[in-house]
Amino acid sequence: MTLVVRRTIRASQQRLFDAWTQPELLLKWWGPRPVRCVGAEIDLRTGGAYRIDNEFPDGTILSIRGTFEVVEPPRRLIYSWRAGEEAQSLERVTVQFEATDAGMTEVIVTHERIPGRTLLERHKMGWEGCLDGLAAYIGDIFEPC
């Protein structure tokens, strides 16, 4: 199954790409509330690995891991996605940063190879929450373009 989530944010492609790919920035906005990002490692190159640690309200940590397949700053990322140690399938995420008029960028997240409807719904809530967090972070931290 495939999921597509979009959000238009008043910021440049570069600002959004940096927020998505620099661990110190990712820690500030990643995760649908009340999930918090408590760790991030990113080797931003084709073949490079990443890890994002999400902490749930009960203290459980879920690690998302994968490898970058495509890195095209500041326009596109494609990477594999495996959440948790028990994940049996290797999913794929594409993030596009498409410049629009008036200094805005549309962030398009395409999550593929989702093995079922229940997981698709969880990913939808997660990605929508992440994009909410990114928009709030960019609005609070960066000057509009």
Side-chain angles (χ1 to χ4, degrees):
M1 302 185 90
T2 298
L3 169 68
V4 178
V5 179
R6 303 168 177 265
R7 179 72 45 87
T8 300
I9 300 173
R10 185 174 302 280
S12 69
Q13 289 173 294
Q14 189 64 56
R15 285 181 175 163
L16 293 167
F17 187 89
D18 290 347
W20 203 282
T21 60
Q22 294 178 13
E24 66 276 10
L25 300 180
L26 192 72
L27 285 167
K28 296 179 180 184
W29 65 266
W30 178 268
R33 301 298 166 244
V35 175
R36 292 184 325 121
C37 182
V38 294
E41 294 179 8
I42 298 173
D43 180 4
L44 189 61
R45 62 182 175 85
T46 299
Y50 75 91
R51 189 191 84 245
I52 301 170
D53 296 327
N54 293 322
E55 182 179 37
F56 289 82
D58 67 1
T60 302
I61 304 282
L62 175 71
S63 293
I64 301 165
R65 299 172 188 270
T67 303
F68 289 101
E69 299 171 15
V70 175
V71 177
E72 295 176 351
R75 295 178 294 118
R76 184 168 70 136
L77 296 166
I78 300 175
Y79 48 89
S80 61
W81 172 284
R82 182 167 288 161
E85 298 301 320
E86 73 287 346
Q88 296 178 7
S89 64
L90 189 61
E91 300 164 31
R92 175 187 282 152
V93 172
T94 300
V95 185
Q96 295 169 260
F97 303 91
E98 294 187 1
T100 66
D101 294 336
M104 300 184 76
T105 301
E106 185 176 26
V107 181
I108 305 164
V109 178
T110 304
H111 195 136
E112 304 172 272
R113 302 178 186 163
I114 301 170
R117 171 73 49 200
T118 300
L119 190 54
L120 181 128
E121 290 302 321
R122 282 193 284 174
H123 283 324
K124 183 176 190 274
M125 289 175 35
W127 283 120
E128 287 174 350
C130 281
L131 292 178
D132 287 346
L134 176 60
Y137 171 72
I138 290 294
D140 288 344
I141 301 302
F142 293 117
E143 293 293 319
C145 296

